[in-house]
Amino acid sequence: MPHDLNPTRHVNRRRAKPVPEQLLHHNNLTLLRRYVTPGGQIMNRVQSRLGAKDQRKLRTLVKRA
């Protein structure tokens, strides 16, 4: 997993790199765990530091998984 996709780092969302298409799959649990709270809720855009497009993709992947 690339280090620049870690949501705990403070990154300007305008400069944030999009999540690579190869990593976006509902079976990629290591990626999905980074954007889900311990209670099982999906993090919002401020916490996950994703753009709107990637947040929508991530939402559908978490719901499929």
Side-chain angles (χ1 to χ4, degrees), residues 14-28:
R14 290 182 181 174
R15 293 186 193 170
K17 295 181 181 178
V19 180
E21 290 291 327
Q22 298 86 8
L23 296 177
L24 290 176
H25 197 270
H26 63 275
N27 288 337
N28 189 356

Side-chain angles (χ1 to χ4, degrees), residues 45-63:
R45 284 183 57 205
V46 176
Q47 293 173 335
S48 65
R49 301 197 185 324
L50 291 173
K53 193 179 215 180
D54 287 331
Q55 182 73 19
R56 286 192 300 268
K57 288 179 186 177
L58 188 75
R59 177 194 64 199
T60 58
L61 292 177
V62 170
K63 288 182 178 182

Side-chain angles (χ1 to χ4, degrees), residues 24-52:
L24 290 176
H25 197 270
H26 63 275
N27 288 337
N28 189 356
L29 297 180
T30 57
L31 176 73
L32 296 180
R33 280 191 194 123
R34 291 175 183 240
Y35 298 107
V36 176
T37 64
Q41 295 179 337
I42 303 170
M43 289 184 183
N44 59 20
R45 284 183 57 205
V46 176
Q47 293 173 335
S48 65
R49 301 197 185 324
L50 291 173

